[in-house]
Amino acid sequence: MAVDSQREAALQPVAPKRLTGMQQFVLTVSRVWGWVFLFLLIVFFSITGTGFLSLRNSQNILVAIVPVLLLGLGQTFIIIAGGIDLSVNYVMGLASVVMALVIRDLVANGVDETLAILVGMALGIVAALIPGLLNGLIVAKLRVTPFIVTLGMAFVARGVGYLLSDGNVVGGQPPGVRLFGNEALLYYIPGDGGGLYFLQRPEAAGEQLRVLERIFPWPVVVLAIVVGFGIFLLSKTQFGRHTYAIGGNREAASRAGILVDRHTILLFVMSGFTAGLAGVLHTARFNGGSAIAGEAQLMPSIAAVIIGGVSMFGGVGTIWGTIIGALIMAVLQTGLVMLGVESFWQWIVVGIVVIVAVLIDQGRDLIKGRAEAQLSE
Amino acid sequence: MVAETTQERQPMLSVRGIVKRFGGLTAVNKVDLDVYPGEVVGLVGDNGAGKSTLIKCVSGVHQADEGEIFFGGARVHIAHPSAAREMGIETIYQDLALAGNLHVGANIFLGREVKKEYLGGVVKVLDETHMLTESEKVLDSLDIHIPSLTQEINNLSGGQRQAVAIARALYWDARLMIMDEPTNNLGVVEQRKVLSLIRTLRDRQVPVILISHSIHDVFAVSDRIVVLRRGRKVTEKVASETNSEEVVQYIVGARDDTREEIPAN
């Protein structure tokens, strides 16, 4: 009996010694700091900067995060599984170029505009799936570390993008391309004779055209759908569970019967897909394809993931975190510009936020570790 | 002598004349091993005695060069670890193969997640409620209490982790459990809990092969003890008919039943 109760004691974790109030507070804050920080930033810029808290600016911020968040989405899955994809920015450029070329040439050959645009978008994305697939195959089958494979693939994709486009912006797009990239789900004209318009862009001229607000531009709608699907996939499905398992303990995942290689390949293909989509939306928004469409987006996409709390060691993180990370960066950038701060400062601030974010995560782990030590006697 | 207690029953696992070579080295040399339902067999020996290699032949990690394996009475060829698992041979290695970042329920169902289907099976969502309820049941049946099954494995103690690994194997209908150094790196109280779990398994007619460096642990739970030395089985004793001193003599080579047999031939 005595032995029994002793055994019990072993597994009934010794009445969880309560964390101190301070530990508890820090732990809670560290869990939600992203939301809090974002909220504080919005409040701060709304008070200090004129026009920050406006419909137009909110839409500008949403449009600005489209490429960062799309690249960050594929990146989140891969980093949670313990990898990284450094090729996303140039894969995005490649997709952008391929789409623009296909549409230009099809339209020039008399193909119907809508059909040409659809085919162009599809082929743009296919062009991005190929490097994704190659990344995955080389990482999974040839056991080369993702950092090196995708670094190499970045150069290759860049080169192919340049070759296809002769190093120029590929123009000659029919009007539908620009409309898709810039028109919106909803329109709003404030004041007399204005109102809310769904799907249908109102006839507006002069002053009305100037104040016409585009609410949820199509790229933002596409982003919302894809991100929504990503959240579902990662948090609710077997695929998501396996992604975490692989990042947490690859060997255990494999022994549990998870097809780790196949899963890894799929993740890189998915990252290719999101990069391709970002490229397609770039071409649509800027009415032309460019091999360096995503050049500046790689670092921000990784920064968003890190600010969002995804561990570079794998196994930890959420897509909501990445969304918050992308929003924090976008709000900082627009907010600082609106404050009249020299735009170069934004990089310094973002850089500090990235490092502080990781420090907060580490602090949390430290406190959690202490708590565990207390729990297990 | 050894067979007396087990004569009438059919062994769950029967290994006959297993040989495994690595290049010029014979790691396992013509070893026979029987494991009957409801018994714990302690497998002991010095480092490099061939214990791990032998069980890896049974768990599908290695393929034996010679010999036969019978499981549940039928001759089997175990080509792969997953083939062994499908038959009901579960091996718990020292590293436990748990994903530390996932919770208890997720680990018990790792790779075999239960899903709810929506829209006629197009959309499949993890059925967390079901998995957690089932996990709780199997843990309860083993008398294991973990405060919250949604706790990450990282937050559990070594003994609790071991318990989760055992519960997982059991939930998936283990018919033979192989445990490699299950009490390593555990505190005294937790070691006892793991040993009591091994007894629970035995009482449920799930035979256990226990590999351990701790002679004390081996004697605490084993019904029979098999000693390997340099790839050969040097003796097999009913635990109650021997003592740790004698077993250690076999381990270090001071005694050897096979050597005694040779002049007899």
Side-chain angles (χ1 to χ4, degrees), chain A residues 153-198:
Chain A
M153 193 58 68
F155 284 103
V156 173
R158 180 186 194 173
V160 174
Y162 275 139
L163 279 174
L164 291 175
S165 63
D166 274 334
N168 299 316
V169 170
V170 181
Q173 303 296 299
V177 171
R178 190 185 46 77
L179 292 179
F180 173 61
N182 294 277
E183 294 310 322
L185 185 66
L186 284 168
Y187 297 90
Y188 177 63
I189 300 177
D192 289 345
L196 202 59
Y197 303 84
F198 183 63

Side-chain angles (χ1 to χ4, degrees), chain A residues 3 6-8 10-13 232 236-238 241-242 244-245 248-249 252-253 255-256 258 315 368 372, chain B residues 85 93 95 97-98 101-102 106 110-111 113 115 123 125-126 128 143-145 147 154-155 160 189 192-193 196:
Chain A
V3 176
Q6 218 172 353
R7 280 191 206 122
E8 293 295 300
L11 295 193
Q12 301 268 23
F232 170 76
K236 297 286 176 206
T237 70
Q238 189 173 36
R241 175 62 52 83
H242 289 179
Y244 283 105
N249 188 342
R255 278 202 235 149
I258 295 171
K368 257 173 75 180
E372 282 154 27
Chain B
R85 204 170 298 124
Y93 294 99
D95 63 5
L98 299 172
N101 59 331
L102 295 181
L110 191 61
E113 289 82 1
K115 288 154 284 181
V123 180
V125 178
L126 290 176
E128 290 280 8
D143 201 23
I144 301 163
H145 305 282
N154 280 337
N155 298 349
Q160 286 174 325
V189 183
R192 271 195 214 133
K193 178 66 193 182
S196 100

Side-chain angles (χ1 to χ4, degrees), chain B:
Chain B
M1 167 189 79
V2 166
E4 262 170 20
T5 51
T6 49
Q7 222 162 22
E8 284 103 51
R9 288 178 299 159
Q10 193 192 33
M12 180 59 81
L13 173 76
S14 183
V15 168
R16 291 277 153 258
I18 285 288
V19 176
K20 178 68 191 173
R21 298 186 196 90
F22 296 107
L25 174 86
T26 306
V28 174
N29 193 357
K30 294 189 176 156
V31 171
D32 296 342
L33 177 70
D34 287 329
V35 183
Y36 291 84
E39 71 167 351
V40 178
V41 174
L43 190 57
V44 298
D46 210 350
N47 289 336
K51 303 176 305 246
S52 288
T53 309
L54 175 63
I55 65 144
K56 280 177 178 167
C57 290
V58 176
S59 65
V61 176
H62 294 323
Q63 269 69 56
D65 296 315
E66 288 173 31
E68 298 175 319
I69 297 174
F70 297 86
F71 189 68
R75 168 125 197 240
V76 290
H77 175 69
I78 306 170
H80 197 267
S82 59
R85 204 170 298 124
E86 270 161 38
M87 289 177 210
I89 302 175
E90 288 280 350
T91 310
I92 300 179
Y93 294 99
Q94 286 181 54
D95 63 5
L96 299 180
L98 299 172
N101 59 331
L102 295 181
H103 62 65
V104 176
N107 268 286
I108 287 178
F109 282 84
L110 191 61
R112 297 181 268 206
E113 289 82 1
V114 178
K115 288 154 284 181
K116 277 185 290 197
E117 296 193 349
Y118 294 98
L119 304 176
V122 181
V123 180
K124 291 180 188 163
V125 178
L126 290 176
D127 190 347
E128 290 280 8
T129 327
H130 177 79
M131 288 192 276
L132 287 172
T133 320
E134 289 293 303
S135 300
E136 190 155 16
K137 272 190 215 160
V138 65
L139 288 166
D140 277 351
S141 79
L142 288 172
D143 201 23
I144 301 163
H145 305 282
I146 292 170
S148 163
L149 297 191
T150 51
Q151 238 181 92
E152 280 181 17
I153 293 292
N154 280 337
N155 298 349
L156 301 183
S157 69
Q160 286 174 325
R161 292 178 201 200
Q162 188 73 240
V164 171
I166 294 171
R168 173 168 69 182
L170 205 64
Y171 182 79
W172 297 102
D173 284 331
R175 295 166 68 202
L176 169 68
M177 193 86 86
I178 301 172
M179 300 174 79
D180 193 356
E181 301 285 357
T183 51
N184 255 15
N185 308 320
L186 294 187
V188 176
V189 183
E190 298 215 302
Q191 283 180 9
R192 271 195 214 133
K193 178 66 193 182
V194 169
L195 295 177
S196 100
L197 279 173
I198 292 174
R199 289 190 200 100
T200 309
L201 291 174
R202 178 188 58 196
D203 296 346
R204 290 181 167 203
Q205 298 296 305
V206 179
V208 178
I209 299 176
L210 169 67
I211 297 180
S212 180
H213 273 103
S214 161
I215 294 290
H216 175 261
D217 286 354
V218 169
F219 270 94
V221 291
S222 300
D223 300 293
R224 279 188 301 131
I225 295 172
V226 171
V227 183
L228 294 188
R229 179 170 163 77
R230 295 188 179 157
R232 290 178 310 116
K233 183 167 90 176
V234 291
T235 193
E236 179 170 339
K237 298 275 184 199
V238 172
S240 56
E241 294 169 5
T242 182
N243 55 53
S244 55
E245 219 165 288
E246 191 185 25
V247 168
V248 169
Q249 284 176 340
Y250 280 106
I251 291 174
V252 299
R255 280 168 179 256
D256 188 336
D257 290 355
T258 55
R259 208 159 44 201
E260 285 160 17
E261 279 164 22
I262 293 165
N265 283 344

Side-chain angles (χ1 to χ4, degrees), chain A:
Chain A
M1 234 38 237
V3 176
D4 262 359
S5 59
Q6 218 172 353
R7 280 191 206 122
E8 293 295 300
L11 295 193
Q12 301 268 23
V14 195
K17 268 172 212 155
R18 291 280 138 219
L19 301 182
T20 66
M22 188 61 193
Q23 281 175 324
Q24 197 69 55
F25 176 75
V26 175
L27 215 52
T28 310
V29 168
S30 68
R31 238 178 245 133
V32 297
W33 77 270
W35 297 92
V36 175
F37 186 55
L38 179 62
F39 176 76
L40 292 178
L41 279 181
I42 292 173
V43 170
F44 175 74
F45 287 126
S46 301
I47 295 168
T48 53
T50 38
F52 181 84
L53 195 66
S54 65
L55 189 56
R56 179 158 296 181
N57 192 44
S58 71
Q59 296 306 309
N60 284 343
I61 288 177
L62 288 181
V63 170
I65 67 168
V66 169
V68 179
L69 198 43
L70 276 176
L71 300 188
L73 186 65
Q75 202 78 263
T76 304
F77 274 91
I78 289 183
I79 296 179
I80 286 176
I84 193 159
D85 188 348
L86 300 177
S87 68
V88 284
N89 55 345
Y90 290 114
V91 169
M92 172 180 165
L94 177 63
S96 166
V97 165
V98 169
M99 169 182 167
L101 281 174
V102 169
I103 294 174
R104 185 191 70 190
D105 291 354
L106 284 181
V107 170
N109 285 297
V111 176
D112 171 67
E113 186 189 319
T114 312
L115 181 67
I117 292 174
L118 289 176
V119 172
M121 293 200 295
L123 289 183
I125 288 174
V126 168
L129 295 180
I130 296 167
L133 179 65
L134 289 174
N135 281 335
L137 284 171
I138 297 170
V139 169
K141 299 294 183 191
L142 302 180
R143 306 263 174 243
V144 185
T145 163
F147 189 97
I148 292 166
V149 175
T150 59
L151 181 70
M153 193 58 68
F155 284 103
V156 173
R158 180 186 194 173
V160 174
Y162 275 139
L163 279 174
L164 291 175
S165 63
D166 274 334
N168 299 316
V169 170
V170 181
Q173 303 296 299
V177 171
R178 190 185 46 77
L179 292 179
F180 173 61
N182 294 277
E183 294 310 322
L185 185 66
L186 284 168
Y187 297 90
Y188 177 63
I189 300 177
D192 289 345
L196 202 59
Y197 303 84
F198 183 63
L199 283 176
Q200 190 66 44
R201 185 180 162 177
E203 296 292 333
E207 176 61 15
Q208 279 202 331
L209 185 59
R210 202 183 64 76
V211 297
L212 174 73
E213 301 284 1
R214 293 176 176 82
I215 308 172
F216 301 131
W218 291 119
V220 174
V221 174
V222 171
L223 175 74
I225 293 169
V226 176
V227 168
F229 179 74
I231 292 172
F232 170 76
L233 194 63
L234 187 59
S235 63
K236 297 286 176 206
T237 70
Q238 189 173 36
F239 185 87
R241 175 62 52 83
H242 289 179
T243 305
Y244 283 105
I246 291 170
N249 188 342
R250 191 190 162 84
E251 179 66 26
S254 169
R255 278 202 235 149
I258 295 171
L259 302 172
V260 176
D261 285 355
R262 202 190 69 164
H263 200 96
T264 306
I265 294 168
L266 269 174
L267 290 177
F268 279 100
V269 171
M270 277 169 54
S271 183
F273 174 79
T274 50
L277 202 54
V280 164
L281 294 175
H282 176 96
T283 296
R285 183 171 169 214
F286 296 100
N287 205 18
S290 160
I292 52 167
E295 190 157 52
Q297 308 294 352
L298 175 68
M299 304 283 247
S301 79
I302 296 176
V305 173
I306 295 172
I307 295 173
V310 175
S311 161
M312 294 307 277
F313 298 109
V316 180
T318 62
I319 291 169
W320 281 111
T322 305
I323 296 172
I324 294 290
L327 280 173
I328 285 176
M329 284 193 296
V331 165
L332 265 176
Q333 285 164 1
T334 31
L336 289 174
V337 169
M338 289 178 114
L339 260 186
V341 176
E342 175 94 59
S343 72
F344 303 129
W345 278 99
Q346 57 176 275
W347 303 117
I348 295 168
V349 177
V350 167
I352 292 169
V353 171
V354 167
I355 294 170
V356 171
V358 172
L359 286 176
I360 291 174
D361 287 346
Q362 285 182 357
R364 178 180 55 205
D365 292 347
L366 201 70
I367 294 174
K368 257 173 75 180
R370 267 190 214 140
E372 282 154 27
Q374 284 176 4
L375 292 184
S376 52
E377 289 168 290

